[in-house]
Amino acid sequence: MEVKNEYVAIKANINGAPEESDFKIKVENLSLLVEPESKVVVVKNLFVSIDPYQINQMKSQSSSQTSISYATAITPGEVIDTYGVGRVLVSHRPDFKKDDLVAGLLTWGEYTIVEEGSLLNKLDPSLAFPLSYHVGVYGFFEVCKPKPGEKVFVSAASGSILGQYAKLLGCYAVGSAGSQEKVN
């Protein structure tokens, strides 16, 4: 069986603030047939994270690309890796079964082929957290519940994306960073 996998890619390196026109939706055919001896896991992505460090990955050159192991440059036209939550569609591995909920290194796409050795953990469905909790959105939207006109402080640890959400909701957003380089 084969599915069409739509995924997000950058058109070219982005050296300013990313805009919708900097991205494109690409489509690839993805086989759901996995050899029994294969160690790959096919995951249907449910939630993916958009993180501040990814802006530096999209640049043609950034100091974080050489100093942070998971922040290597993104190649234009290629799928973007990120942390996310998904459901296992196909696996012959003993540690992952069909329909398991998982969190780990996925992609900005509908599906991800996760190779053995990549970050992927089974989630406990008995926990009372919504799946979005696992990508950092839960605390902002479900606990904080900001309202227009409120002040929202965003630390560097929680990322600039939450500051952008706060602005979109009509809040006054203030952020902090550990250095001027991170601000730039």
Side-chain angles (χ1 to χ4, degrees), residues 95-183:
D95 48 342
F96 296 104
K97 303 284 186 236
K98 184 178 183 342
D99 292 327
D100 281 348
L101 290 173
V102 293
L105 189 59
L106 302 180
T107 62
W108 283 15
E110 291 185 81
Y111 302 90
T112 302
I113 303 292
V114 182
E115 301 287 337
E116 184 178 33
S118 292
L119 175 66
L120 191 66
N121 296 301
K122 196 181 307 186
L123 296 176
D124 182 351
S126 69
L127 295 176
F129 297 120
L131 294 177
S132 59
Y133 168 85
H134 298 281
V135 291
V137 177
Y138 174 79
F140 185 71
F141 287 108
E142 300 298 324
V143 176
C144 180
K145 297 181 182 177
K147 296 174 183 56
E150 290 184 333
K151 294 176 180 72
V152 175
F153 176 78
V154 181
S155 73
S158 62
S160 64
I161 194 70
L162 292 183
Q164 296 301 315
Y165 280 136
K167 285 182 181 180
L168 288 172
L169 293 171
C171 298
Y172 178 78
V174 176
S176 70
S179 68
Q180 186 61 42
E181 183 180 332
K182 289 182 180 179
V183 172

Side-chain angles (χ1 to χ4, degrees), residues 7-175:
Y7 65 91
V8 178
I10 56 173
K11 293 178 182 176
N13 291 111
I14 304 167
N15 289 310
E19 298 182 15
E20 185 176 348
S21 61
D22 293 320
F23 300 90
K24 63 182 169 185
I25 303 293
K26 295 187 78 174
V27 180
E28 66 180 353
N29 291 325
L30 183 73
S31 175
L32 297 181
L33 298 176
V34 176
E35 297 295 324
E37 65 277 358
S38 175
K39 301 295 183 191
V40 302
V41 178
V42 181
V43 175
K44 168 69 172 150
N45 301 340
L46 302 175
F47 294 94
V48 296
S49 181
I50 301 172
D51 296 310
Y53 77 88
Q54 291 172 312
I55 293 171
N56 286 327
Q57 287 183 285
M58 295 174 192
K59 294 179 180 178
S60 56
Q61 183 62 31
S62 168
S63 61
S64 65
Q65 292 173 2
T66 56
S67 62
I68 304 172
S69 63
Y70 59 84
T72 57
I74 294 170
T75 303
E78 297 295 317
V79 68
I80 299 169
D81 290 333
T82 191
Y83 188 79
V85 174
R87 184 176 304 280
V88 173
L89 292 180
V90 180
S91 173
H92 297 296
R93 290 174 46 180
D95 48 342
F96 296 104
K97 303 284 186 236
K98 184 178 183 342
D99 292 327
D100 281 348
L101 290 173
V102 293
L105 189 59
L106 302 180
T107 62
W108 283 15
E110 291 185 81
Y111 302 90
T112 302
I113 303 292
V114 182
E115 301 287 337
E116 184 178 33
S118 292
L119 175 66
L120 191 66
N121 296 301
K122 196 181 307 186
L123 296 176
D124 182 351
S126 69
L127 295 176
F129 297 120
L131 294 177
S132 59
Y133 168 85
H134 298 281
V135 291
V137 177
Y138 174 79
F140 185 71
F141 287 108
E142 300 298 324
V143 176
C144 180
K145 297 181 182 177
K147 296 174 183 56
E150 290 184 333
K151 294 176 180 72
V152 175
F153 176 78
V154 181
S155 73
S158 62
S160 64
I161 194 70
L162 292 183
Q164 296 301 315
Y165 280 136
K167 285 182 181 180
L168 288 172
L169 293 171
C171 298
Y172 178 78
V174 176

